[in-house]
Coordinates of all heavy atoms in Angstrom, one line a residue:
M1 N 105.8 11.0 -11.6 CA 107.0 10.1 -11.5 C 107.7 10.5 -10.2 O 108.0 11.6 -9.9 CB 107.9 10.4 -12.7 CG 109.2 9.5 -12.6 SD 110.3 9.7 -14.0 CE 109.4 8.7 -15.2
E2 N 108.1 9.4 -9.4 CA 108.7 9.6 -8.2 C 110.2 9.1 -8.3 O 110.6 8.5 -9.3 CB 108.0 8.7 -7.1 CG 106.6 9.2 -6.8 CD 105.9 8.3 -5.9 OE1 106.6 7.5 -5.2 OE2 104.7 8.3 -5.8
M3 N 111.0 9.4 -7.3 CA 112.4 9.1 -7.3 C 112.5 7.5 -7.3 O 113.5 7.0 -7.8 CB 113.1 9.7 -6.1 CG 114.5 9.6 -6.1 SD 115.2 10.4 -7.6 CE 116.9 10.2 -7.4
K4 N 111.6 6.8 -6.7 CA 111.6 5.4 -6.6 C 111.6 4.8 -8.1 O 112.2 3.8 -8.4 CB 110.5 4.8 -5.8 CG 110.6 3.3 -5.7 CD 109.4 2.8 -4.8 CE 109.4 1.3 -4.7 NZ 110.0 0.4 -5.6
D5 N 110.8 5.4 -8.9 CA 110.7 5.0 -10.3 C 112.0 5.1 -11.0 O 112.4 4.2 -11.8 CB 109.6 5.8 -11.0 CG 108.2 5.5 -10.4 OD1 107.9 4.5 -9.9 OD2 107.4 6.5 -10.5
V6 N 112.7 6.2 -10.8 CA 113.9 6.5 -11.5 C 115.0 5.5 -10.9 O 115.7 4.9 -11.7 CB 114.4 7.9 -11.2 CG1 115.8 8.2 -11.8 CG2 113.4 8.9 -11.8
T7 N 115.0 5.3 -9.6 CA 115.9 4.3 -9.0 C 115.7 2.9 -9.5 O 116.6 2.2 -9.9 CB 115.8 4.4 -7.5 OG1 116.0 5.7 -7.0 CG2 116.8 3.5 -6.8
D8 N 114.4 2.5 -9.6 CA 114.1 1.2 -10.1 C 114.5 1.0 -11.5 O 115.0 0.0 -12.0 CB 112.6 0.9 -10.0 CG 112.2 0.7 -8.5 OD1 113.1 0.6 -7.6 OD2 111.0 0.7 -8.3
G9 N 114.4 2.1 -12.3 CA 114.8 2.0 -13.7 C 116.3 1.9 -13.9 O 116.8 1.1 -14.7
F10 N 117.1 2.6 -13.0 CA 118.5 2.4 -13.0 C 118.9 1.0 -12.6 O 119.8 0.4 -13.2 CB 119.2 3.4 -12.2 CG 119.3 4.8 -12.8 CD1 118.9 5.9 -12.1 CD2 119.9 4.9 -14.1 CE1 119.0 7.2 -12.7 CE2 120.0 6.2 -14.6 CZ 119.6 7.3 -14.0
I11 N 118.3 0.5 -11.6 CA 118.7 -0.9 -11.1 C 118.3 -1.9 -12.2 O 119.1 -2.8 -12.5 CB 117.9 -1.2 -9.8 CG1 118.4 -0.3 -8.7 CG2 118.0 -2.7 -9.5 CD1 117.6 -0.4 -7.4
K12 N 117.2 -1.8 -12.8 CA 116.8 -2.7 -13.9 C 117.8 -2.6 -15.1 O 118.2 -3.6 -15.7 CB 115.4 -2.4 -14.4 CG 114.8 -3.4 -15.2 CD 113.3 -3.1 -15.5 CE 112.7 -4.2 -16.3 NZ 111.3 -4.0 -16.6
A13 N 118.2 -1.4 -15.4 CA 119.2 -1.2 -16.5 C 120.6 -1.9 -16.1 O 121.2 -2.5 -17.0 CB 119.4 0.3 -16.8
I14 N 121.0 -1.7 -14.9 CA 122.2 -2.4 -14.5 C 122.1 -3.9 -14.5 O 123.1 -4.5 -15.0 CB 122.6 -1.9 -13.1 CG1 123.0 -0.4 -13.1 CG2 123.7 -2.7 -12.5 CD1 123.2 0.3 -11.8
V15 N 121.0 -4.4 -14.1 CA 120.8 -5.9 -14.1 C 120.9 -6.4 -15.6 O 121.5 -7.4 -15.9 CB 119.5 -6.3 -13.4 CG1 119.2 -7.8 -13.7 CG2 119.6 -6.0 -11.9
F16 N 120.1 -5.7 -16.5 CA 120.1 -6.1 -17.9 C 121.5 -6.0 -18.5 O 122.0 -6.9 -19.2 CB 119.2 -5.2 -18.7 CG 117.8 -5.7 -18.6 CD1 116.8 -5.1 -17.9 CD2 117.4 -6.9 -19.4 CE1 115.5 -5.6 -17.8 CE2 116.1 -7.3 -19.4 CZ 115.2 -6.7 -18.6
A17 N 122.3 -4.9 -18.2 CA 123.6 -4.8 -18.7 C 124.5 -5.9 -18.2 O 125.3 -6.4 -19.0 CB 124.2 -3.4 -18.3
F18 N 124.4 -6.2 -17.0 CA 125.2 -7.3 -16.4 C 124.9 -8.7 -17.1 O 125.8 -9.4 -17.5 CB 125.0 -7.5 -14.9 CG 125.7 -8.6 -14.3 CD1 127.1 -8.5 -14.1 CD2 125.1 -9.8 -14.0 CE1 127.8 -9.6 -13.6 CE2 125.8 -10.9 -13.4 CZ 127.2 -10.8 -13.2
I19 N 123.6 -8.9 -17.3 CA 123.3 -10.2 -18.0 C 123.7 -10.2 -19.4 O 124.2 -11.2 -19.9 CB 121.7 -10.4 -17.8 CG1 121.4 -10.7 -16.4 CG2 121.3 -11.6 -18.7 CD1 119.9 -10.7 -16.1
V20 N 123.5 -9.1 -20.1 CA 123.9 -9.1 -21.5 C 125.4 -9.2 -21.7 O 125.9 -10.0 -22.5 CB 123.4 -7.8 -22.2 CG1 124.1 -7.6 -23.5 CG2 121.9 -7.7 -22.3
S21 N 126.2 -8.5 -20.9 CA 127.6 -8.6 -21.0 C 128.1 -10.0 -20.6 O 129.1 -10.5 -21.2 CB 128.3 -7.6 -20.1 OG 128.0 -7.7 -18.8
T22 N 127.5 -10.6 -19.6 CA 127.9 -12.0 -19.2 C 127.6 -13.0 -20.3 O 128.5 -13.8 -20.6 CB 127.1 -12.4 -17.9 OG1 127.4 -11.5 -16.9 CG2 127.6 -13.8 -17.4
V23 N 126.4 -12.9 -20.9 CA 126.1 -13.9 -22.0 C 127.0 -13.7 -23.2 O 127.6 -14.6 -23.7 CB 124.6 -13.7 -22.4 CG1 124.3 -14.4 -23.7 CG2 123.7 -14.2 -21.3
C24 N 127.3 -12.4 -23.5 CA 128.2 -12.1 -24.7 C 129.6 -12.6 -24.4 O 130.3 -13.1 -25.3 CB 128.1 -10.6 -25.0 SG 126.5 -10.1 -25.7
C25 N 130.1 -12.3 -23.2 CA 131.5 -12.7 -22.9 C 131.6 -14.3 -22.9 O 132.6 -14.8 -23.4 CB 131.9 -12.2 -21.5 SG 132.2 -10.5 -21.5
Y26 N 130.6 -14.9 -22.4 CA 130.6 -16.4 -22.4 C 130.6 -16.9 -23.8 O 131.4 -17.8 -24.2 CB 129.4 -17.0 -21.7 CG 129.3 -18.5 -21.7 CD1 130.0 -19.2 -20.8 CD2 128.5 -19.1 -22.6 CE1 129.9 -20.6 -20.8 CE2 128.4 -20.5 -22.7 CZ 129.1 -21.2 -21.7 OH 129.1 -22.6 -21.8
Q27 N 129.7 -16.4 -24.7 CA 129.7 -16.9 -26.1 C 131.0 -16.5 -26.8 O 131.5 -17.4 -27.5 CB 128.5 -16.2 -26.8 CG 127.2 -16.7 -26.3 CD 126.9 -18.1 -26.8 OE1 127.4 -18.6 -27.8 NE2 126.0 -18.8 -26.0
G28 N 131.5 -15.4 -26.5 CA 132.8 -15.0 -27.2 C 134.0 -15.8 -26.7 O 134.9 -16.2 -27.5
Y29 N 134.0 -16.1 -25.4 CA 135.2 -16.8 -24.9 C 135.2 -18.2 -25.4 O 136.3 -18.8 -25.7 CB 135.0 -16.8 -23.3 CG 136.2 -17.5 -22.7 CD1 137.4 -16.8 -22.5 CD2 136.1 -18.8 -22.2 CE1 138.5 -17.4 -21.9 CE2 137.2 -19.4 -21.6 CZ 138.4 -18.7 -21.4 OH 139.5 -19.3 -20.9
F30 N 134.1 -18.8 -25.6 CA 134.0 -20.2 -26.1 C 133.8 -20.3 -27.6 O 133.5 -21.4 -28.1 CB 132.9 -21.0 -25.4 CG 133.3 -21.3 -23.9 CD1 132.7 -20.6 -22.9 CD2 134.3 -22.2 -23.6 CE1 133.1 -20.8 -21.6 CE2 134.7 -22.4 -22.3 CZ 134.0 -21.7 -21.3
A31 N 134.0 -19.2 -28.3 CA 133.8 -19.2 -29.8 C 134.9 -20.2 -30.4 O 134.6 -20.8 -31.5 CB 134.0 -17.8 -30.4
H32 N 136.0 -20.3 -29.9 CA 137.1 -21.1 -30.5 C 136.7 -22.6 -30.3 O 137.3 -23.5 -31.0 CB 138.4 -20.9 -29.8 CG 138.5 -21.4 -28.4 ND1 138.0 -20.6 -27.3 CD2 139.1 -22.5 -27.8 CE1 138.2 -21.3 -26.2 NE2 138.9 -22.4 -26.5
M33 N 135.7 -23.0 -29.5 CA 135.4 -24.4 -29.3 C 134.2 -24.8 -30.2 O 133.8 -25.9 -30.2 CB 135.0 -24.6 -27.9 CG 136.2 -24.4 -27.0 SD 135.7 -24.6 -25.2 CE 135.7 -26.3 -25.1
R34 N 133.7 -23.9 -31.1 CA 132.6 -24.2 -31.9 C 133.0 -25.3 -33.0 O 134.1 -25.2 -33.5 CB 132.1 -23.0 -32.7 CG 131.5 -21.9 -31.7 CD 130.9 -20.8 -32.5 NE 129.7 -21.1 -33.2 CZ 128.5 -20.9 -32.8 NH1 128.3 -20.4 -31.6 NH2 127.5 -21.3 -33.5
T35 N 132.1 -26.2 -33.2 CA 132.4 -27.3 -34.2 C 131.9 -26.9 -35.6 O 132.3 -27.6 -36.5 CB 131.8 -28.6 -33.7 OG1 130.4 -28.4 -33.6 CG2 132.4 -29.0 -32.4
D36 N 131.1 -25.9 -35.7 CA 130.5 -25.6 -37.0 C 131.3 -24.6 -37.8 O 131.0 -24.4 -39.0 CB 129.1 -25.1 -36.8 CG 128.9 -23.9 -35.9 OD1 129.9 -23.6 -35.2 OD2 127.8 -23.4 -35.9
S37 N 132.3 -23.9 -37.2 CA 133.1 -23.0 -37.9 C 134.4 -22.6 -37.2 O 134.5 -23.0 -36.0 CB 132.3 -21.7 -38.2 OG 131.9 -21.1 -36.9
H38 N 135.2 -21.9 -37.8 CA 136.5 -21.5 -37.2 C 136.8 -20.0 -37.5 O 136.2 -19.4 -38.4 CB 137.7 -22.3 -37.7 CG 137.5 -23.7 -37.4 ND1 137.7 -24.3 -36.2 CD2 137.2 -24.8 -38.3 CE1 137.5 -25.6 -36.2 NE2 137.2 -25.9 -37.5
W39 N 137.6 -19.4 -36.7 CA 138.2 -18.0 -36.8 C 137.1 -17.0 -36.8 O 136.2 -16.9 -35.9 CB 139.0 -17.9 -38.1 CG 140.2 -18.9 -38.0 CD1 140.3 -20.1 -38.6 CD2 141.4 -18.7 -37.2 NE1 141.5 -20.7 -38.3 CE2 142.2 -19.9 -37.4 CE3 141.9 -17.7 -36.4 CZ2 143.4 -20.1 -36.8 CZ3 143.1 -17.9 -35.8 CH2 143.9 -19.1 -36.0
A40 N 137.1 -16.1 -37.8 CA 136.1 -15.0 -37.8 C 134.7 -15.4 -37.9 O 133.8 -14.8 -37.3 CB 136.5 -14.0 -38.9
K41 N 134.4 -16.5 -38.7 CA 133.1 -17.0 -38.8 C 132.5 -17.4 -37.4 O 131.4 -17.2 -37.1 CB 133.0 -18.1 -39.8 CG 131.6 -18.5 -40.1 CD 131.5 -19.5 -41.2 CE 130.1 -19.9 -41.5 NZ 130.0 -20.9 -42.6
A42 N 133.4 -18.1 -36.6 CA 133.0 -18.5 -35.3 C 132.6 -17.4 -34.4 O 131.7 -17.4 -33.6 CB 134.1 -19.4 -34.7
V43 N 133.4 -16.3 -34.5 CA 133.1 -15.1 -33.7 C 131.8 -14.5 -34.1 O 130.9 -14.1 -33.3 CB 134.2 -14.0 -33.8 CG1 133.9 -12.7 -33.1 CG2 135.5 -14.6 -33.2
G44 N 131.5 -14.4 -35.4 CA 130.2 -13.9 -35.9 C 129.1 -14.8 -35.4 O 128.0 -14.2 -35.0
L45 N 129.2 -16.1 -35.5 CA 128.2 -17.0 -35.0 C 128.0 -16.9 -33.5 O 126.8 -17.0 -33.0 CB 128.5 -18.4 -35.4 CG 128.4 -18.7 -36.9 CD1 128.9 -20.1 -37.3 CD2 126.9 -18.5 -37.4
A46 N 129.1 -16.7 -32.8 CA 128.9 -16.5 -31.3 C 128.2 -15.3 -31.0 O 127.4 -15.2 -30.1 CB 130.3 -16.5 -30.7
T47 N 128.5 -14.2 -31.7 CA 127.8 -12.9 -31.5 C 126.3 -13.1 -31.8 O 125.4 -12.6 -31.0 CB 128.4 -11.8 -32.4 OG1 129.8 -11.7 -32.2 CG2 127.7 -10.5 -32.2
T48 N 126.0 -13.7 -32.9 CA 124.6 -13.9 -33.2 C 123.9 -14.8 -32.2 O 122.7 -14.5 -31.8 CB 124.4 -14.6 -34.6 OG1 125.1 -13.8 -35.6 CG2 123.0 -14.8 -35.0
S49 N 124.6 -15.8 -31.7 CA 124.0 -16.7 -30.7 C 123.7 -16.0 -29.4 O 122.7 -16.2 -28.8 CB 124.9 -17.9 -30.4 OG 125.1 -18.7 -31.5
A50 N 124.6 -15.1 -29.0 CA 124.5 -14.3 -27.8 C 123.3 -13.4 -27.9 O 122.5 -13.3 -26.9 CB 125.7 -13.5 -27.5
V51 N 123.1 -12.7 -29.0 CA 122.0 -11.8 -29.2 C 120.7 -12.6 -29.2 O 119.7 -12.2 -28.5 CB 122.1 -11.0 -30.5 CG1 120.9 -10.2 -30.8 CG2 123.3 -10.1 -30.4
V52 N 120.6 -13.7 -29.9 CA 119.4 -14.5 -30.0 C 119.1 -15.1 -28.6 O 117.9 -15.1 -28.2 CB 119.5 -15.6 -31.1 CG1 118.4 -16.6 -31.0 CG2 119.6 -15.0 -32.4
L53 N 120.1 -15.6 -27.9 CA 119.9 -16.2 -26.6 C 119.3 -15.2 -25.6 O 118.4 -15.5 -24.9 CB 121.2 -16.8 -26.1 CG 121.2 -17.4 -24.7 CD1 120.4 -18.7 -24.8 CD2 122.6 -17.7 -24.2
F54 N 119.9 -14.0 -25.6 CA 119.4 -13.1 -24.6 C 118.0 -12.5 -25.0 O 117.1 -12.5 -24.2 CB 120.3 -11.9 -24.4 CG 119.8 -10.9 -23.4 CD1 119.9 -11.2 -22.1 CD2 119.2 -9.7 -23.8 CE1 119.3 -10.3 -21.2 CE2 118.7 -8.8 -22.9 CZ 118.8 -9.2 -21.6
S55 N 117.8 -12.1 -26.3 CA 116.6 -11.5 -26.7 C 115.4 -12.4 -26.7 O 114.3 -12.0 -26.3 CB 116.8 -10.8 -28.0 OG 116.9 -11.8 -29.0
C56 N 115.6 -13.6 -27.1 CA 114.4 -14.5 -27.2 C 114.1 -15.3 -25.9 O 112.9 -15.5 -25.6 CB 114.7 -15.6 -28.2 SG 114.7 -14.9 -29.9
R57 N 115.1 -15.6 -25.1 CA 114.9 -16.4 -23.9 C 114.9 -15.7 -22.6 O 114.1 -16.0 -21.7 CB 115.9 -17.6 -23.9 CG 115.8 -18.5 -25.0 CD 116.8 -19.6 -24.9 NE 116.8 -20.4 -26.1 CZ 117.7 -21.2 -26.5 NH1 118.8 -21.2 -25.8 NH2 117.6 -21.9 -27.6
S58 N 115.8 -14.8 -22.5 CA 115.9 -14.1 -21.2 C 115.2 -12.9 -21.0 O 114.8 -12.6 -19.8 CB 117.4 -13.8 -20.9 OG 118.1 -15.0 -20.9
D59 N 115.0 -12.1 -22.0 CA 114.4 -10.7 -21.8 C 113.1 -10.7 -21.1 O 113.0 -10.0 -20.1 CB 114.4 -10.0 -23.2 CG 114.1 -8.6 -23.0 OD1 114.6 -7.9 -22.1 OD2 113.3 -8.1 -23.8
P60 N 112.1 -11.4 -21.5 CA 110.8 -11.3 -20.7 C 110.9 -11.8 -19.3 O 110.4 -11.2 -18.4 CB 109.8 -12.1 -21.6 CG 110.4 -12.2 -22.9 CD 111.9 -12.2 -22.7
S61 N 111.5 -12.9 -19.1 CA 111.6 -13.5 -17.8 C 112.4 -12.7 -16.8 O 112.1 -12.5 -15.7 CB 112.1 -15.0 -17.8 OG 113.4 -15.0 -18.4
V62 N 113.6 -12.2 -17.3 CA 114.4 -11.4 -16.5 C 113.7 -10.1 -16.1 O 113.8 -9.6 -15.0 CB 115.8 -11.1 -17.1 CG1 116.6 -10.1 -16.3 CG2 116.5 -12.4 -17.2
G63 N 113.1 -9.5 -17.1 CA 112.4 -8.2 -16.9 C 111.3 -8.4 -15.8 O 111.1 -7.6 -14.9
L64 N 110.6 -9.5 -15.9 CA 109.5 -9.8 -15.0 C 110.1 -10.0 -13.6 O 109.5 -9.5 -12.6 CB 108.7 -11.0 -15.4 CG 107.5 -11.4 -14.6 CD1 106.5 -10.2 -14.5 CD2 106.9 -12.6 -15.1
C65 N 111.1 -10.8 -13.5 CA 111.7 -11.1 -12.2 C 112.3 -9.8 -11.5 O 112.1 -9.6 -10.3 CB 112.9 -12.1 -12.3 SG 112.3 -13.7 -12.7
V66 N 113.0 -9.0 -12.3 CA 113.6 -7.8 -11.7 C 112.4 -6.8 -11.3 O 112.5 -6.2 -10.2 CB 114.5 -7.1 -12.7 CG1 115.0 -5.7 -12.2 CG2 115.7 -8.0 -13.0
T67 N 111.4 -6.7 -12.1 CA 110.3 -5.8 -11.8 C 109.6 -6.2 -10.6 O 109.3 -5.4 -9.7 CB 109.4 -5.7 -13.0 OG1 110.1 -5.2 -14.2 CG2 108.3 -4.7 -12.7
S68 N 109.3 -7.5 -10.5 CA 108.6 -8.0 -9.3 C 109.5 -7.9 -8.0 O 108.9 -7.7 -7.0 CB 108.1 -9.5 -9.5 OG 109.2 -10.3 -9.7
F69 N 110.8 -8.0 -8.2 CA 111.7 -7.9 -7.0 C 111.7 -6.5 -6.5 O 111.7 -6.2 -5.3 CB 113.1 -8.3 -7.4 CG 114.1 -8.1 -6.3 CD1 114.1 -9.0 -5.2 CD2 115.0 -7.1 -6.4 CE1 115.0 -8.8 -4.2 CE2 115.9 -6.9 -5.4 CZ 115.9 -7.8 -4.3
L70 N 111.6 -5.5 -7.4 CA 111.7 -4.1 -7.1 C 110.4 -3.6 -6.5 O 110.3 -2.6 -5.8 CB 112.1 -3.2 -8.3 CG 113.5 -3.4 -8.7 CD1 113.8 -2.7 -10.0 CD2 114.5 -3.0 -7.7
M71 N 109.3 -4.3 -6.8 CA 108.0 -3.8 -6.2 C 107.8 -4.4 -4.9 O 107.7 -4.3 -3.9 CB 106.8 -4.3 -7.1 CG 106.9 -3.7 -8.5 SD 105.5 -4.2 -9.4 CE 104.9 -2.6 -10.0

C-alpha cells in the first residue's frame, strides 16, 4: 500500500460525504413541499427517499467516476 492509495481513499470519502450530505439536505429542505404527507411523516419519507436515491442510483456511478478520475 502506497501513500497515493491512502490519499485517493480520503479524496473518495470526501466526495461521497459531500454528495450524501447534499442529497440529504435537499430532501430535508423540501420535505414541507411533499404532497403525500405532512410534518413528521414527511421528514421520515424525505429521509427514506434520500437514502434510496443515493444508494441505488448514485453509488456505483459516482464511485466509478471518482476512481477513474483519481487513476
Side-chain angles (χ1 to χ4, degrees):
M1 179 178 282
E2 298 177 14
M3 190 61 178
K4 184 181 180 332
D5 296 332
V6 175
T7 305
D8 290 350
F10 280 128
I11 292 170
K12 193 171 181 180
I14 290 170
V15 170
F16 274 105
F18 176 76
I19 293 171
V20 168
S21 62
T22 303
V23 168
C24 291
C25 286
Y26 178 83
Q27 291 288 334
Y29 185 76
F30 290 106
H32 69 282
M33 299 176 75
R34 294 183 72 96
T35 57
D36 56 350
S37 61
H38 298 288
W39 301 100
K41 186 174 181 181
V43 173
L45 290 173
T47 304
T48 304
S49 297
V51 170
V52 169
L53 178 69
F54 181 75
S55 65
C56 292
R57 296 182 185 159
S58 298
D59 191 40
S61 61
V62 172
L64 181 63
C65 290
V66 172
T67 303
S68 64
F69 176 74
L70 292 173
M71 296 185 129

